Amino acid sequence: MQLLSEPSLNVFFDWVIKTTLLASIMTGLILMIKAVLKNRLKPGWHYALWLLLMLRLLIPAGPQTAFSIYNLFSWTEAASENTAAPLLNTAGSDTAASSKHPELSSIDSENSGTRAAYPDQSKGSAWSIKQMLIGIWMVVAVLLLIRLLAVNIRFSMKLRRNAVAAKRADIMLLAQARRSMGVKRRVRLSFSSAVSTPTLFGWIRPHLIMPAGSRELDAERQSHIYLHELAHMKHADILVNWLMHLLLVLHWFNPLLWYALYKMREDQELSADALALRKIHPSQVSEYGYTIITLLERTKLRGYVPGAAGLSGSKQQLKRRILMIKNFKRKSIGWTVVGLALVVALSGCALTNGKTASDGISSTPAAGETTPAESVTPGTTAPNNAGDKSGDTASNDDTKNGSGTGVNSTASTDSNTNSQPSDRNKGGSSSGSSEQASVKVTETKGHEQQIKDIAALAKKGKVKGADFVAGKTIIDDIHASWGEPDRPWQPSDSYAYDSYSPGAGRGTYAFGIGRGEVVYDIRYFGSPMDENQAFNQISFAEIKKTLGKPSSIKTNNTDDILTYKLGEYELKFVGPHKTQRLDHISVYSPKAAAPMGDSVK
């Protein structure tokens, strides 16, 4: 059960679900194209369309473009954000918790850039359902993989037992076909009663096995067969078959992809026919067709062997195959251009991702917004929250370290500044007020050890007072340890942060939830009751003096962010630009925040 809760497994399962949805849409599109163009499009281009589908199943994520076909199916992008977790926590208790802690109410609305809109699966059946689905998926996938390997091994052993070495004349004929096809690799030739149709087996050491009864065929027909099998080798069809079967082990639950394999193998045979026909004399085209038909009539259908490619196909496919051979044209520039254009167009619209709702957010933060891992504390600059607090003198201690830099910008001035409580409240109501602009920036001292302790914990992905690790802990573990958050993330939020004020003077924490419910960002706002943890007494100058030059310094609206790269983590010190004092820290895992190769802003 512990394995099913592993963050990396959850992330991978999410990717499989998203990819299978995108691939299903692409499969439908390919089938539509094939139905419209039919035999007008050359077999090689039909086959190339399925290779693009395989690429779609392989790539973690394509670039997001406005012309992606997936823009028409917004549910696929929603699935990428909320995969296999349809239950959302919208209970009224969340609103109640939020009202008790207004300083935590706007954390999600002020983040942009990192994908983190995940449902709360801490309680109820959502998490157990997902664990069950992952368990079933894993068991079936492992069984299919074992069966796949067993079928291949059994077929190989069967061939070795029944294989009879080819005669010199047969080997010379195969060598001639290799030269004609341009195949330089050595191909072993043998005859066996284990196969009813010519079969090319193995990618590393290719072995061409002919049916025992094919010795009676004349040299011309044998040459046709060799050319067809070598065409499979030229196209690397065995490698393609292995790859497609392994992908289906992951996507075994998608019947549309199994049908895609069936159609791909059909087009694979036609593509091999087309290549073989280009290598023979035009007068022999009808003879080639007769050879294929004769062999297919004798063929006994067998299950697909991933390591084999051969002259195969059902009798239902004969009509299409005969038509292709009968109407074969060596040069068709017009349809070649059409095929190339189709492949390019399909790549552009199906190998790219559609834009999500969060993609509409500008990379340059608007007023009151910040970038994801560098965002300021909950409730930072949202005018409605700030305005609500402007006259609330009683909550000043809480907002000093639990809200945003709009409040802290005045509350964190030097201790010698004779500001009255009313002045601080004015600063809280408007971060751009004249009171804030006149704040005196001073350097602090005596916090070197505290800063070093912060950095030492950040190297481990931790912050003080919370035994959780960024990029490794899942949010369910935090819920189990600390209970329900004071301000859980809401389904309407753009980005998921659960916030806690554990009490006992421990301060305020916020946990950013990423893919697979992994906590990628841990923020700590210090403790207003513990002078040693009152971050507003620490200046940026003292941080730089203690830790040296930051890896980067950024300014977002009214706030500065000092970033230090500590191994696999980033430690961010965030505070108002005007006061140059610390408001909160962020221990951030770029790897967990961008598991699909997304750039971390």
Side-chain angles (χ1 to χ4, degrees):
M1 202 56 138
Q2 184 65 30
L3 176 63
L4 301 181
S5 302
E6 186 68 29
S8 57
L9 180 61
N10 279 261
V11 169
F12 185 71
F13 181 72
D14 290 347
W15 173 72
V16 169
I17 296 299
K18 174 189 175 181
T19 305
T20 206
L21 292 173
L22 299 179
S24 297
I25 295 172
M26 189 173 180
T27 300
L29 185 61
I30 291 173
L31 291 173
M32 287 174 58
I33 292 172
K34 288 170 61 61
V36 171
L37 296 178
K38 296 182 179 178
N39 294 328
R40 289 188 289 272
L41 193 64
K42 295 173 73 173
W45 294 114
H46 279 278
Y47 186 36
L49 297 178
W50 297 118
L51 298 182
L52 290 179
L53 175 66
M54 289 178 57
L55 189 58
R56 172 75 268 182
L57 289 168
L58 283 170
I59 56 175
Q64 294 176 339
T65 62
F67 50 83
S68 172
I69 186 67
Y70 306 115
N71 287 316
L72 301 177
F73 303 90
S74 58
W75 53 270
T76 61
E77 295 306 322
S80 72
E81 302 294 332
N82 299 291
T83 305
L87 303 181
L88 300 177
N89 183 4
T90 56
S93 59
D94 296 344
T95 307
S98 178
S99 64
K100 291 179 182 178
H101 299 272
E103 71 275 10
L104 303 177
S105 62
S106 62
I107 190 166
D108 297 298
S109 63
E110 306 202 19
N111 290 275
S112 62
T114 303
R115 268 184 264 181
Y118 294 89
D120 180 10
Q121 295 175 321
S122 60
K123 300 294 178 183
S125 60
W127 179 243
S128 60
I129 289 175
K130 186 174 183 182
Q131 284 183 323
M132 182 178 66
L133 291 175
I134 293 176
I136 294 172
W137 169 72
M138 283 185 62
V139 168
V140 177
V142 169
L143 291 176
L144 280 176
L145 181 60
I146 292 172
R147 181 183 179 278
L148 198 64
L149 296 174
V151 165
N152 210 66
I153 293 171
R154 187 167 62 248
F155 187 71
S156 176
M157 294 174 64
K158 187 177 180 180
L159 292 178
R160 281 201 297 268
R161 283 197 304 267
N162 298 282
V164 177
K167 296 179 180 179
R168 180 174 177 78
D170 298 322
I171 295 173
M172 295 298 293
L173 198 60
L174 176 61
Q176 183 180 349
R178 282 172 53 203
R179 286 193 296 272
S180 177
M181 188 61 70
V183 174
K184 296 182 180 180
R185 294 178 62 189
R186 181 178 176 274
V187 181
R188 189 157 60 99
L189 177 64
S190 63
F191 291 79
S192 174
S193 59
V195 296
S196 61
T197 181
T199 302
L200 183 68
F201 182 73
W203 168 248
I204 298 175
R205 291 181 294 179
H207 182 190
L208 177 55
I209 307 100
M210 297 286 289
S214 63
R215 289 181 182 273
E216 64 191 41
L217 296 175
D218 58 38
E220 184 179 71
R221 290 187 180 179
Q222 284 194 41
S223 179
H224 293 162
I225 294 171
Y226 294 155
L227 286 172
H228 178 93
E229 298 306 315
L230 291 172
H232 282 302
M233 190 171 175
K234 191 81 172 177
H235 289 160
D237 287 339
I238 292 177
L239 191 61
V240 169
N241 292 343
W242 262 116
L243 194 55
M244 190 62 181
H245 277 86
L246 290 174
L247 287 169
L248 281 172
V249 165
L250 297 178
H251 300 271
W252 58 263
F253 52 87
N254 191 337
L256 198 56
L257 294 183
W258 286 100
Y259 182 69
L261 171 66
Y262 169 77
K263 299 298 289 184
M264 186 194 80
R265 294 292 291 257
E266 181 181 311
D267 287 330
Q268 188 179 89
E269 287 298 310
L270 290 173
S271 180
D273 283 338
L275 181 56
L277 286 170
R278 287 200 293 271
K279 302 298 180 181
I280 66 176
H281 193 274
S283 62
Q284 295 180 336
V285 170
S286 58
E287 286 298 320
Y288 177 90
Y290 180 75
T291 301
I292 297 299
I293 293 170
T294 302
L295 285 171
L296 287 179
E297 286 176 345
R298 300 177 184 176
T299 298
K300 296 177 182 178
L301 290 178
R302 65 164 186 260
Y304 287 138
V305 178
L311 204 160
S312 61
S314 65
K315 293 179 174 61
Q316 288 79 5
Q317 298 169 6
L318 266 178
K319 182 178 179 181
R320 184 184 170 199
R321 208 158 181 175
I322 292 170
L323 284 174
M324 190 279 292
I325 295 172
K326 180 181 178 181
N327 300 321
F328 176 75
K329 294 180 181 179
R330 293 175 182 275
K331 293 183 180 180
S332 179
I333 302 299
W335 285 109
T336 298
V337 172
V338 170
L340 180 61
L342 266 177
V343 168
V344 172
L346 188 62
S347 299
C349 69
L351 296 183
T352 56
N353 286 1
K355 288 185 173 292
T356 62
S358 61
D359 296 326
I361 302 173
S362 172
S363 59
T364 303
E369 291 184 334
T370 57
T371 56
E374 300 159 354
S375 64
V376 292
T377 50
T380 300
T381 54
N384 58 333
N385 291 334
D388 292 342
K389 297 169 190 170
S390 61
D392 189 3
T393 307
S395 63
N396 190 48
D397 286 340
D398 291 333
T399 57
K400 276 168 58 180
N401 292 282
S403 65
T405 57
V407 176
N408 265 355
S409 59
T410 55
S412 61
T413 57
D414 187 78
S415 58
N416 295 326
T417 304
N418 295 322
S419 299
Q420 299 299 321
S422 59
D423 295 329
R424 289 197 296 271
N425 289 332
K426 289 178 182 179
S429 63
S430 175
S431 60
S433 65
S434 60
E435 287 85 347
Q436 184 188 36
S438 62
V439 169
K440 180 181 178 182
V441 177
T442 58
E443 184 176 346
T444 58
K445 295 181 181 179
H447 301 92
E448 291 85 355
Q449 190 56 49
Q450 183 182 352
I451 295 169
K452 289 178 181 178
D453 290 344
I454 290 172
L457 283 171
K459 285 182 181 179
K460 302 175 183 178
K462 297 181 178 182
V463 300
K464 184 175 180 179
D467 193 24
F468 309 119
V469 182
K472 297 180 180 178
T473 298
I474 60 175
I475 194 63
D476 201 43
D477 294 337
I478 298 174
H479 292 163
S481 178
W482 284 10
E484 293 292 336
D486 295 290
R487 199 279 179 181
W489 86 278
Q490 306 297 314
S492 58
D493 295 337
S494 298
Y495 304 96
Y497 276 83
D498 278 358
S499 302
Y500 287 86
S501 293
R506 291 164 65 184
T508 302
Y509 300 83
F511 301 95
I513 311 168
R515 287 191 180 278
E517 291 77 47
V518 179
V519 173
Y520 69 93
D521 183 16
I522 301 178
R523 302 179 187 177
Y524 179 46
F525 303 95
S527 170
M529 298 178 63
D530 185 352
E531 187 175 343
N532 294 326
Q533 295 300 318
F535 284 169
N536 58 26
Q537 300 300 315
I538 303 175
S539 68
F540 282 174
E542 189 175 5
I543 294 171
K544 295 175 187 176
K545 185 177 180 180
T546 305
L547 299 180
K549 183 180 178 181
S551 303
S552 67
I553 301 176
K554 295 182 181 179
T555 299
N556 283 337
N557 299 313
T558 61
D559 309 304
D560 282 355
I561 300 99
L562 276 59
T563 302
Y564 290 87
K565 293 185 178 179
L566 306 174
E568 61 179 298
Y569 300 105
E570 293 180 2
L571 170 60
K572 299 174 184 287
F573 295 93
V574 184
H577 176 71
K578 294 292 184 181
T579 64
Q580 293 289 290
R581 296 291 187 88
L582 180 61
D583 179 77
H584 71 276
I585 62 170
S586 166
V587 177
Y588 179 75
S589 171
K591 187 185 296 186
M596 296 300 183
D598 306 47
S599 60
V600 180
K601 300 179 182 177

